[in-house]
Amino acid sequence: MSVIQLAGIERVFHLGDSVVHALTHLDVGIESGEYVAIMGPSGSGKSTLLNLLGLLDRPDAGSYRLEGRDVTTLSPDEQAAVRSRRIGFVFQSFHLVPRLTAAENIGLPMMLAGIPAAERAQRVAQALKDFGLDQRADHRPDQLSGGQRQRVAIARATIMQPAVLLADEPTGNLDRATGDDVIHLLEALNERGMTLIIVTHDPKIGTRARRQLMMEDGELKSDSARPSMAVTAT
Amino acid sequence: MRTADVLRFARDAAAGYPLRTSLSVLAMAIGVAAVVVLTSLGDGARRYVVEQFSSLGSNLVIVLPGRSATGGFSPANAVTTTPRDLTVDDAFALTRLPSVRRVAPLAAGNSEIKANGRLREVVVAGTASTYLEIRSFKMAQGHFLPEADWNRGAPVAVIGVKIQEEIFAGRPAVGELIRLGDRRLRIVGVLKATGQGVGGLNTDEVVFVPVSIAMSLFNTNSLFRVLIEARSRDEIEAVKREVTAALKARHGGEEDVTVITQDAVLATFDKLLRALTAAVAGIAAISLAVAGILVMNVMLVAVTQRTGEIGLLKALGARGATIRDAFLAEAAMISLAGALTGYGLGLFGAFVLRQVYPVFPAYPPDWAVIAALATALSTGLLFGIMPARRAARLDPVQALMKH
Ligand SMILES: Nc1ncnc2c1ncn2[C@@H]1O[C@H](COP(=O)(O)OP(=O)(O)OP(=O)(O)O)[C@@H](O)[C@H]1O
Ligand SMILES: [Mg+2]
């Protein structure tokens, strides 16, 4: 079953008089448990696509079905609920709340979802162990290394056991070795069944994925799952 | 998000920016403290005046000879023409009225006292035994004027402490003889110091004699005042009615006396000073509004500063309402902390006032405290709504980019 089904997606930005087609005629299907890398030059629409997949943004046209349900027509609160339970985000710049400890940052999605404190504590403790952060539970983000911060962010993104994990250049702010650790961590999560979608500039990371989507000027230029498409596009 | 979590999140957020938070708490505190201190001052003045008047005696109704033009009390009304005498018999007739507990006639005038080889001018008050109780005075030595027929008083006198000091140099005066005008009177008691002046008549410097003696001394048939004590506070109005009716009947159907109640006088001052206190509170409340605007600015800065965080919370599944509540809770906490701190400061300020001016009962009135706290909280919340809604409406993608 397709976990993600995009059809005829358009996203247009108006900047004064100029019109930017950040995404045009986008038709993509992603199966549950897939490992997808989105690549392409700067400004090609990768982040726009990821924001759309994460329900942070709405398309101007087209339909988006997540786990078989049309999510573009949902109310903002319903979309928030979907983000809370079905989608996990990992960002290039980690986006940890500076005044909260590692444990509190990891527990944040559960707190927002209204899960009782006792259950939160238990699940956070488990996540800290799983991600090798037991010794860092009470550290604030500024007391953590970049790799540790991104591990906290991944723990946070997965604590609600989402169906889809979206990562926008998760290694962009990390050195090579730490970046590889983070990629291995994400791949391990994918092996346990989580759909993983990574935006990356790094070809090495891109080729590790089982499927590559190449973007250019808001269009899908090639899809390794459908090699014929590159021909039709040109 | 659970309420407890919203509150904890808001508290941590406020604590995360100590300087900003403490400055807005301080602004709110100053506003509340201003209201508390200024209303303490205003209400203290009111209580001071009310207490001074209350010490005249409780449930007091006063009859003056002569009819005042208007029903109300004013200093001008106190000076009235005297068409018909207010006699001792008039006063005595009032003792039989149902709502009246006690009556004391009062005749007043100046005379010379001669005793112990000294001579001085004194105020002589002619009255009866009931006067002591009506005015709630106490005796320092001996007893007050004996109970007797008001028209045939015994040749006795009661003196104020100041006269005892000046003429008898503080020695016990009971039993001594004095000469008042052409009369020889025996002192039967000394009044305890009251320190009270009534119409420029300090009781410490007065010689009290039976009313009949005073009236013949001054060669008059009219009383200066009749003091009446009602049976209870509720019966003051009844007394007023009964006295007016009784005297009208005795004076051939003419209403030629003025009946004033202590309540009427008090009510005027009370109203005046309450209005003053409210006005002062209103002025102080402006500083609360200013504090509210400051809280709003602080919260707007907080929203701008934490834009990235708001975007993140949305990405993590927070609803707009949750984010709004968190910011609103933060504004409410700042206001609450400010209000409580201000209340404490205000109480301390009032305490200092009481130390500096001990006669002044500078306590903040309950209504002012409640109004100040409620205003602080509601302005904080009111001015918190706009920033909170702005936070809730932020576009998550834009917000996330600002990091
Ligand atoms: N909010 C916006 N308003 C106007 N234009 C936008 C907005 N967001 C994106 N764009 C434009 O849409 C296009 C796609 O942007 P997007 O951020 O998706 O690119 P990207 O592929 O992620 O690039 P990069 O690799 O640099 O992150 C760009 O031309 C960008 O300028
Ligand atoms: Mg991008």
Side-chain angles (χ1 to χ4, degrees):
Chain A
M1 190 197 80
S2 291
V3 64
I4 287 168
Q5 191 65 57
L6 298 177
I9 294 290
E10 304 280 334
R11 184 71 176 101
V12 184
F13 291 111
H14 299 272
L15 270 179
D17 292 341
S18 69
V19 175
V20 182
H21 290 270
L23 295 174
T24 51
H25 333 294
L26 206 66
D27 303 287
V28 186
I30 294 172
E31 299 300 309
S32 181
E34 265 198 280
Y35 176 9
V36 182
I38 303 174
M39 296 192 288
S42 190
S44 57
K46 306 182 296 293
S47 296
T48 306
L49 175 56
L50 210 68
N51 289 336
L52 217 116
L53 291 176
L55 296 180
L56 292 176
D57 198 9
R58 285 168 187 266
D60 295 299
S63 83
Y64 171 17
R65 303 181 83 80
L66 181 70
E67 298 181 303
R69 179 185 185 200
D70 188 351
V71 288
T72 49
T73 56
L74 295 181
S75 74
D77 280 0
E78 288 168 329
Q79 290 198 333
V82 173
R83 280 201 297 272
S84 167
R85 311 247 160 216
R86 308 310 297 155
I87 295 165
F89 278 101
V90 177
F91 305 94
Q92 177 177 355
S93 51
F94 321 127
H95 272 303
L96 300 180
V97 180
R99 62 175 180 279
L100 300 183
T101 64
E104 286 167 337
N105 266 291
I106 294 171
L108 200 51
M110 290 193 288
M111 187 174 91
L112 292 169
I115 291 171
E119 187 186 339
R120 277 177 358 221
Q122 189 202 324
R123 277 164 70 176
V124 166
Q126 184 62 44
L128 284 166
K129 210 184 291 164
D130 292 349
F131 289 87
L133 292 162
D134 336 35
Q135 305 303 311
R136 300 282 175 269
D138 297 324
H139 289 214
R140 285 176 207 290
D142 58 7
Q143 301 163 325
L144 296 172
S145 73
Q148 285 166 342
R149 284 183 213 180
Q150 198 58 304
R151 268 188 283 159
V152 170
I154 295 170
R156 184 180 64 189
T158 54
I159 196 85
M160 294 291 289
Q161 290 150 348
V164 182
L165 187 57
L166 306 171
D168 197 345
E169 301 186 36
T171 60
N173 282 0
L174 301 174
D175 61 44
R176 164 69 54 192
T178 332
D180 284 349
D181 286 348
V182 164
I183 290 298
H184 289 141
L185 206 56
L186 293 172
E187 287 172 353
L189 289 163
N190 171 247
E191 267 150 37
R192 275 188 268 138
M194 203 174 281
T195 308
L196 176 62
I197 302 174
I198 300 181
V199 168
T200 182
H201 275 120
D202 187 340
K204 273 209 187 120
I205 293 170
T207 48
R208 291 179 65 94
R210 258 164 274 132
R211 180 179 174 190
Q212 288 83 31
L213 300 178
M214 293 299 296
M215 301 282 300
E216 200 174 301
D217 290 335
E219 288 185 73
L220 186 61
K221 202 171 142 239
S222 76
D223 180 349
S224 65
R226 295 158 65 195
S228 58
M229 212 190 72
V231 184
T232 49
T234 35
Chain B
M1 198 160 155
R2 286 157 181 264
T3 312
D5 286 327
V6 171
L7 295 179
R8 198 146 41 83
F9 189 82
R11 183 201 63 198
D12 292 349
Y17 302 88
L19 183 67
R20 210 187 60 198
T21 301
S22 49
L23 279 180
S24 18
V25 165
L26 185 68
M28 199 51 103
I30 289 172
V32 173
V35 171
V36 171
V37 170
L38 289 177
T39 52
S40 297
L41 207 62
D43 207 52
R46 183 185 67 82
R47 279 190 223 202
Y48 177 74
V49 170
V50 168
E51 270 165 31
Q52 288 299 304
F53 270 91
S54 299
S55 59
L56 276 173
S58 56
N59 306 337
L60 197 61
V61 176
I62 302 167
V63 183
L64 291 66
R67 169 119 183 88
S68 66
T70 63
F73 171 85
S74 83
N77 291 347
V79 188
T80 47
T81 50
T82 317
R84 202 188 275 247
D85 290 338
L86 181 60
T87 64
V88 172
D89 290 340
D90 285 339
F92 193 76
L94 301 179
T95 58
R96 291 190 290 268
L97 296 175
S99 303
V100 170
R101 173 172 290 159
R102 297 189 186 93
V103 176
L106 189 64
N110 289 310
S111 182
E112 271 185 348
I113 179 172
K114 205 166 144 195
N116 201 24
R118 292 170 209 223
L119 189 73
R120 83 159 266 190
E121 184 92 348
V122 287
V123 175
V124 175
T127 186
S129 58
T130 45
Y131 181 84
L132 188 75
E133 285 134 342
I134 289 179
R135 297 294 311 270
S136 327
F137 288 159
K138 297 272 181 307
M139 299 304 295
Q141 298 163 21
H143 53 81
F144 198 65
L145 300 175
E147 253 177 78
D149 185 335
W150 290 1
N151 283 313
R152 271 190 291 275
V156 293
V158 171
I159 58 172
V161 278
K162 196 138 182 224
I163 295 183
Q164 184 201 12
E165 269 166 34
E166 287 181 10
I167 293 187
F168 297 101
R171 279 184 290 109
V174 175
E176 298 282 343
L177 277 176
I178 57 170
R179 181 172 276 280
L180 204 60
D182 57 353
R183 285 165 188 273
R184 291 171 64 81
L185 305 172
R186 190 170 293 281
I187 295 176
V188 293
V190 177
L191 205 63
K192 209 175 214 171
T194 62
Q196 279 184 21
V198 182
L201 203 120
N202 187 339
T203 54
D204 296 346
E205 296 180 66
V206 170
V207 175
F208 293 92
V209 299
V211 65
S212 56
I213 292 179
M215 292 182 76
S216 67
L217 195 65
F218 303 131
N219 193 24
T220 173
N221 287 321
S222 187
L223 292 170
F224 171 64
R225 295 280 188 275
V226 180
L227 307 183
I228 304 164
E229 188 186 331
R231 289 199 181 277
S232 73
R233 196 171 183 78
D234 298 334
E235 277 166 293
I236 288 176
E237 277 310 304
V239 166
K240 203 174 164 183
R241 248 181 295 116
E242 289 166 10
V243 165
T244 310
L247 291 178
K248 190 173 170 184
R250 289 180 64 87
H251 289 191
E254 216 177 313
E255 238 178 78
D256 58 358
V257 295
T258 302
V259 182
I260 59 172
T261 59
Q262 185 182 312
D263 270 17
V265 183
L266 264 185
T268 311
F269 275 103
D270 196 59
K271 229 182 356 197
L272 194 82
L273 287 164
R274 267 181 207 280
L276 197 77
T277 307
V280 164
I283 292 165
I286 293 172
S287 60
L288 275 180
V290 172
I293 291 167
L294 193 88
V295 168
M296 176 169 75
N297 274 299
V298 161
M299 291 312 295
L300 282 175
V301 170
V303 171
T304 313
Q305 229 172 27
R306 301 218 295 267
T307 299
E309 180 185 318
I310 294 163
L312 169 78
L313 292 177
K314 289 197 162 182
L316 296 182
R319 294 186 301 136
T322 305
I323 288 166
R324 186 199 60 209
D325 291 350
F327 276 86
L328 218 49
E330 194 175 329
M333 279 177 189
I334 289 175
S335 309
L336 185 70
L340 293 180
T341 312
Y343 180 54
L345 281 177
L347 285 187
F348 179 72
F351 170 77
V352 170
L353 271 180
R354 293 197 298 273
Q355 298 304 305
V356 179
Y357 307 104
V359 295
F360 221 59
Y363 293 93
D366 289 347
W367 64 263
V369 170
I370 292 166
L373 293 181
T375 315
L377 273 186
S378 51
T379 50
L381 274 178
L382 198 70
F383 286 106
I385 285 175
M386 204 263 268
R389 288 177 58 169
R390 178 174 290 188
R393 276 205 299 262
L394 277 181
D395 172 26
V397 177
Q398 300 286 331
L400 275 169
M401 287 194 319
K402 292 229 186 73
H403 194 68

